[in-house]
Each structure stands twice: as C-alpha cells, then as structure tokens.
Amino acid sequence: MRMGGRPMAAHLRARAPRLTGRVVARLLAELPVYAELPQEEVAGDIAGIVQHSLRQFADVLERRRPAGPAEFGAQRESAALRAEEGVPLDAILAAYQIGAAMAWEELTAGAGPSDLPAFQEALGYFLDFQRLLISAVSAAYLEVRQILDSQDHGGRHALMTALMTGETAGHRPAPRWAVLTLAFAPHPDEAGTGQRARIATRRKIRRVRTVLDEVADEPAFTTLDAAGGTALLPFSAGWDVLHGLVARAAACADTPVTAAAEITGPAGIPAAVGQTAEIMDLVRRAGRPPGLYRLTDVLLDYQLSRPSGALAGLAALLAPLDPKPELLRTLERYLACDLDRRTTGAALHVHPNTVAYRVRRISALTGLDPARPSDLRLLHAAMIARRALP
C-alpha cells in the first residue's frame, strides 16, 4: 500500500523513532500530568509504548489485515502501570489520541487525488486500530483500579489485619510466613511534593511489591509507603531466597532497601512483626548498610537494648566523650569498620593518622583501649547501650 509515492508501512517504521520524540514532546507540552512524570518514566515506558504502537500499526498496513484484540498486550500492561501510579484515564486516552493524529498526519503528508483508494483503505485500518487500542487500554486501566480498590477495602486487608493481631479465627492462612519490616531510601524523583514525586513513590512501591509477589507462594500482604512498611509473605523457601529478594527489590526500585525478617507460623506473626520492627530500629541506630537482617545479626545489640540496671552504667563509660562529639563519631565508625584506620578515615573524610590520634584521645579520656580485647567488648557494649537510652 502506497501513498504520496512511498510505501506506507516502510515509511512509518523509518519515521517511528523521530516521530516518537515529537509525540512525547507534545504530550509534555499539552498534558500537565505527563510533564510531571519522572523523566525515567517518560524516556522509558512512555516513549517505548508510543514507538511500539507506531510499529504495530505499520505491521497492520503491511499485511493489510486488521489487528486482533489479543495483540494489544503491551498497551494493556502500560495502562495497568499508569493505573497503579494514579495517572488519570482521560490523560492516557488523550495521549493515545495525540499520538494517533500525529501518525496519521505523517502517513498522509503529500497524498494526492490518485491516492484516494489507498487513503480510504488505510483509514479503515486506522479507525479499527484506534477502536481496539482504546478499548484495550480502558479495560486494563479500569480492571486494575477495581482490584486496587477491592484490596484496600476487601478480604485481603481483613486477613492481613487478622494475621498481625493474631485473630485468625474464620481464616485459613498458609502454614509458614516470612515477616518483613522494610525501609526504603528516597528515590531522587521523589524530591518535592508534586505529581512527579507521588508517581515516583507509587512506582517504587509497585516495583517492590512485584518482587515480593515473585518470591511469595501467594500474593504478598503489604502495607507500604514511601519510607517502607510491613510485608507478610506466604513462604516455603529459605533465608537465601530472602537475601536475594532484598537485593532484587533494591535493583528494581533503584533505591537502597533495608529489611528485617523473621520466618514463622501464623500464630507467631504478631510477635514477629514487633521483633522485626525492633531489629530495624537497631540497624538504623547502628548506621548499618542496606540489606537483610535477622535477629542473629544483631543479637548483642538486641540483648543490650533490653531494660536493665546495667544499661545506664555501660552508657556512662562514654560520658567523658560528650564534650567531644568528633571523638564519639570516630569511635562509632572505628568500631563499625573493625578497627581499620584507613576505612574509618575514608568514611569520616579524614586522614588515617587523624583517626589514630583520636583513638588515643578516646583511650585517654575513657580509660578503655580498643586494642585490648576486654576493653573492646566494653566499648561495643557502651556504644549499644548509649544508642538504646533516650
């Protein structure tokens, strides 16, 4: 099929990359919600689906056969993601209409009276393609919104509440669960308070949930926000799978993820939720790096943070350093770096010799020398006790 002296399908394919850029630029200029999307999403998902649709219509023209409803999977998936992010449906449909109009202008530029038969045939394919496309996008969007609304107010929410409170009568929960307290670092796109930040937060949460669902035996139960939250996973695998889960979640969300986890039966979930929250608090206070933590990773911190008469006495061992906050910071980092002066210096942005000097000052003021094993244990315990006290 030719128009204006050129094959329509080949022309549209050749022009697809440049036309995609023009379509995206117009979306940003005319639809405020698209201008507020994260740049990563505009350059990736949005541009990708525009170019996919252009090439798909070129295939329709080349084979001179209408597209089938089953051929719009990519557009349905894209609409589902936008629904999860809260992009309004009218903006999505307007975007497709803008792209369609610009594609048709590109195809028919230079057409003359002799091109009328090809024009009419192509128009039939074009209108049919648009009808199926809009139908697929609208259906996928509304389906996801219905699911999200039902999850917020339906049985899954009720079951998660029952599991976390231990009141599971009338429910049949899985026999084994992974309980996670999660903490997310902010993504750069979340800076600010506009639509861009809200969509970036939803995208981060969606990507983490996707990873959780891949690992769980059934869809995971989650209460997540921009900073993190709680996840309950019906789970029959081992700890190595959970370690991989945290790494994949961080990679997919493109931000550091920290998790405290416990594996238990349904009856142990309420206690595990409380314990993982405590573990997460200890990990944060200690300034530990992102990753997965369990009770065995923080046993000393956990035990020393329990109320006891010795806690205040241990913390008081570091009281001579109170007037010298740089010495306290150095001691904390020095202990975290396993007494390595170079690593400590790099973390504090000072010379290793400065670290050595400060360690000598710490020993002189406290009477405790990190080079002596017995004193090192006391220094660790004192630092943990200090973090545990108000």
Side-chain angles (χ1 to χ4, degrees), residues 8-374:
M8 296 180 71
H11 175 69
L12 185 56
R13 281 200 197 94
R15 299 286 293 176
R18 183 175 298 179
L19 183 56
T20 295
R22 289 170 47 212
V23 170
V24 170
R26 188 168 165 189
L27 298 184
L28 296 176
E30 298 185 14
L31 299 175
V33 68
Y34 280 87
E36 294 180 351
L37 288 173
Q39 181 58 37
E40 172 196 347
E41 189 161 342
V42 173
D45 297 351
I46 305 302
I49 202 63
V50 169
Q51 188 159 175
H52 172 82
S53 300
L54 293 172
R55 294 184 182 279
Q56 190 178 8
F57 185 60
D59 293 340
V60 169
L61 294 174
E62 185 170 66
R63 68 194 181 205
R64 304 180 85 159
R65 178 174 60 80
E71 297 178 41
F72 293 91
Q75 289 91 339
R76 280 193 292 270
E77 181 179 349
S78 177
L81 297 180
R82 302 293 85 76
E84 290 182 354
E85 294 168 347
V87 177
L89 179 58
D90 61 337
I92 297 171
L93 298 182
Y96 276 109
Q97 293 291 349
I98 289 173
M102 294 180 69
W104 186 249
E105 290 172 3
E106 181 69 37
L107 279 171
T108 58
S114 62
D115 294 313
L116 181 60
F119 184 97
Q120 290 176 322
E121 183 181 0
L123 181 60
Y125 292 137
F126 178 79
L127 294 176
D128 184 72
F129 186 87
Q130 277 297 99
R131 175 180 61 83
L132 293 172
L133 173 60
I134 295 303
S135 176
V137 166
S138 300
Y141 183 97
L142 294 174
E143 179 182 356
V144 169
R145 289 310 315 171
Q146 184 178 22
I147 291 172
L148 292 174
D149 292 341
S150 67
Q151 285 182 346
D152 288 342
H153 304 98
R156 285 178 60 80
H157 179 75
L159 177 54
M160 184 173 185
T161 301
L163 288 167
M164 293 179 67
T165 57
E167 300 173 359
T168 56
H171 299 281
R172 298 182 64 184
R176 192 165 178 265
W177 293 78
V179 178
L180 291 90
T181 293
L182 298 163
F184 309 142
H187 190 279
D189 288 339
E190 292 180 279
T193 58
Q195 180 77 357
R196 179 193 298 267
R198 290 191 292 273
I199 289 175
T201 295
R202 293 191 186 110
R203 183 186 64 210
K204 178 172 73 174
I205 293 171
R206 169 174 54 79
R207 291 178 176 179
V208 172
R209 279 177 174 156
T210 298
V211 175
L212 294 174
D213 286 341
E214 289 172 354
V215 170
D217 298 336
E218 303 168 17
F221 295 78
T222 59
T223 55
L224 302 176
D225 58 24
T230 302
L232 308 181
L233 282 62
F235 189 72
S236 58
W239 284 101
D240 56 333
V241 174
L242 288 182
H243 278 283
L245 177 154
V246 175
R248 286 203 306 280
C252 290
D254 192 26
T255 192
V257 174
T258 306
E262 185 58 73
I263 298 175
T264 184
I269 288 177
V273 169
Q275 182 169 283
T276 56
E278 286 190 74
I279 294 170
M280 179 63 73
D281 184 56
L282 293 171
V283 167
R284 283 172 167 163
R285 287 170 179 262
R288 298 205 183 191
L292 179 70
Y293 294 88
R294 50 196 295 195
L295 182 59
T296 54
D297 298 316
V298 293
L299 278 176
L300 181 61
D301 302 62
Y302 189 85
Q303 185 58 41
L304 287 175
S305 65
R306 306 300 90 186
S308 79
L311 206 59
L314 282 170
L317 294 176
L318 301 182
L321 305 183
D322 284 341
K324 303 286 185 179
E326 74 280 3
L327 296 184
L328 274 170
R329 286 194 298 270
T330 300
L331 176 61
E332 185 166 26
R333 183 54 54 188
Y334 190 57
L335 296 176
C337 294
D338 294 326
L339 313 189
D340 187 302
R341 289 186 302 160
R342 292 187 180 278
T343 307
T344 304
L348 296 173
H349 307 291
V350 299
H351 195 276
N353 289 344
T354 302
V355 175
Y357 169 77
R358 290 180 180 178
V359 170
R360 290 195 298 271
R361 292 283 298 139
I362 290 167
S363 298
L365 290 170
T366 64
L368 298 172
D369 184 355
R372 288 197 296 266
S374 59

